[in-house]
Amino acid sequence: MRLNVTLFGSILMAWSGLASALSLTEALERASQHDPAVGESRSRFAAESEESQQEYSELRPHVSINSQANYSYSDSQFAFGSAQDHYPSWSAYLEVRQALLRLDWSARKDRAKVYDSLATRHAKDSERDFVVRVASRYLNTLLAREAVEESRSEVKSVQESLKATRQRFDVGLVPGTDLKEAMARADLAKARLVSAQAELEDQQDALDEVTGTPGDAPNLMRDDAVLPATQPLDVESWARLARENGTATQSALLDLELARTELESRRAEVLPEIDLVAQAGRNESTEYILGQRQDDAQISLQLSIPIYAGGLGQSRIRQAQAKVDEAEFRLLQVERAAERDVRKLHRSVNTARAEAQAYSRALESAIAAQKATQAGYDAGSRTITDVLDAARRVVQARRNRNASRYSTLINLLTLHAEAGLLTAQVVSDLDYLFETP
């Protein structure tokens, strides 16, 4: 069966050469061509699709050839003498067997359909995991990149303050404690920059691993980007979607259907079976003095009625029934867990979005406070510690805003995935948030 529902194919976009910046959609497109997990998913789908063919094979004719070659030696003693004979012989038969009666035929057909559905479901799950994984690495790389930019700005600001403080110290306008405080803040800012650069390299390596294009940096998020809200807005709609269409609940439902067909097959194993069998062959032993060549053919109906097999059949039925019960409880558990997870993700998206808006306003206030503090320092009413603290608050506010914005997007994509709604269009619709090179 051909897998025609795939995110990998639907996100393909035209691109040539190696760009210096990647959009989110371009990162997904390149990862779909380079990431080994994509090939692994396709191979797993091909393997799982064969399960249905194996079920159908039990309903089709079975053809076999049985042959045998012998070399015989005999030494016989009789009342009137003895005899020794040695001769070759062989036989070959063609057998065609067709099942006429199996009381689990409908179960086998249903099980074959379930296997196809499971293969498709697992492929979709892998694709959605792929999109979330690549998007998360893309956004985490962006967050690390902006952290480096913030650290560089902090280093520059602190060094400028250190330079101004040293000049004032040289002319006796500030005490030595102010100079030492400025030097300590400069060293700490440099240390934070080194740490941020190391984190960026780690995140960039993780992104390069899946895209196969080392060094291509993601586009930065626009400063005025308006984060998308959850659609639909209410959490009850998301909970219903998770119960009806969520990846986990759909897989658990298919597992239950599979267990039920297995139970039906186990019950059929203790019931009569009828096969149509046709045979044709030759038995050749003409090199023996009393040998012969015999050709024969026959067609027959074979009835098999299980009587007793040490209790094996009934034990298998009880085992299959227990697995059905297990699958039913598992489905109930998964539905409740999916609803809980979706509710939590919905809250996380809205919380992070609200935090991003609040931190944006806090950033504006921190920038205004920094300017006022600098002016007070220039006028002699504020200390260098006040200036450095104000600069630090600006950096921290910007980091908090960025972390909340990227957390909103990651949680939003995960929410769509858990509800079974993640598509290439959902990802492409986020490109407007980022700067274009």
Side-chain angles (χ1 to χ4, degrees), residues 180-194:
K180 290 182 180 179
E181 177 69 18
M183 294 173 63
R185 295 293 186 95
D187 291 337
L188 287 173
K190 291 177 181 178
R192 283 191 288 266
L193 175 59
V194 171

Side-chain angles (χ1 to χ4, degrees), residues 198-378:
E199 177 65 17
L200 174 59
E201 291 178 1
D202 290 342
Q203 296 297 338
Q204 185 69 53
D205 287 344
L207 180 62
D208 294 344
E209 179 187 355
V210 293
T211 62
T213 52
D216 282 2
N219 294 330
L220 291 173
M221 186 180 292
R222 295 186 359 243
D223 235 19
D224 59 348
V226 178
L227 297 176
T230 55
Q231 295 293 339
L233 295 175
D234 62 295
V235 67
E236 293 303 326
S237 296
W238 284 99
R240 176 180 54 80
L241 289 170
R243 289 193 303 269
E244 297 176 356
N245 195 48
T247 57
T249 54
Q250 287 297 309
S251 295
L253 182 60
L254 290 172
D255 288 339
L256 175 58
E257 293 180 14
L258 187 63
R260 287 171 175 168
T261 61
E262 288 287 352
L263 174 60
E264 189 174 345
S265 291
R266 292 306 185 191
R267 287 172 174 167
E269 287 179 352
V270 299
L271 300 175
E273 298 178 352
I274 298 177
D275 290 345
L276 175 65
V277 182
Q279 287 184 333
R282 169 174 293 182
N283 192 338
E284 173 73 52
S285 59
T286 55
E287 295 193 25
Y288 177 45
I289 188 172
L290 299 178
Q292 62 179 347
R293 184 178 68 185
Q294 180 182 356
D295 293 331
D296 58 33
Q298 64 178 4
I299 186 169
S300 61
L301 287 176
Q302 294 184 0
L303 172 64
S304 174
I305 303 178
I307 302 298
Y308 182 69
L312 177 63
Q314 293 301 321
S315 176
R316 286 178 171 175
I317 291 174
R318 292 192 298 269
Q319 182 185 48
Q321 180 62 62
K323 289 185 176 180
V324 170
D325 296 340
E326 177 188 5
E328 289 176 345
F329 286 118
R330 175 62 179 167
L331 175 60
L332 182 60
Q333 179 185 7
V334 167
E335 286 178 341
R336 293 178 179 178
E339 183 176 348
R340 183 191 69 246
D341 291 342
V342 164
R343 288 179 183 276
K344 181 178 179 180
L345 281 168
H346 189 273
R347 286 193 295 268
S348 297
V349 171
N350 291 330
T351 300
R353 190 169 183 269
E355 286 179 346
Q357 294 173 349
Y359 283 129
S360 293
R361 292 190 292 270
L363 175 60
E364 294 174 358
S365 299
I367 292 174
Q370 182 189 26
K371 293 179 179 178
T373 303
Q374 183 64 49
Y377 178 73
D378 293 339

Side-chain angles (χ1 to χ4, degrees), residues 178 373 376-377 380-388:
D178 280 9
T373 303
Y377 178 73
S381 61
R382 306 298 291 269
T383 66
I384 188 61
T385 301
D386 296 332
V387 173
L388 296 174

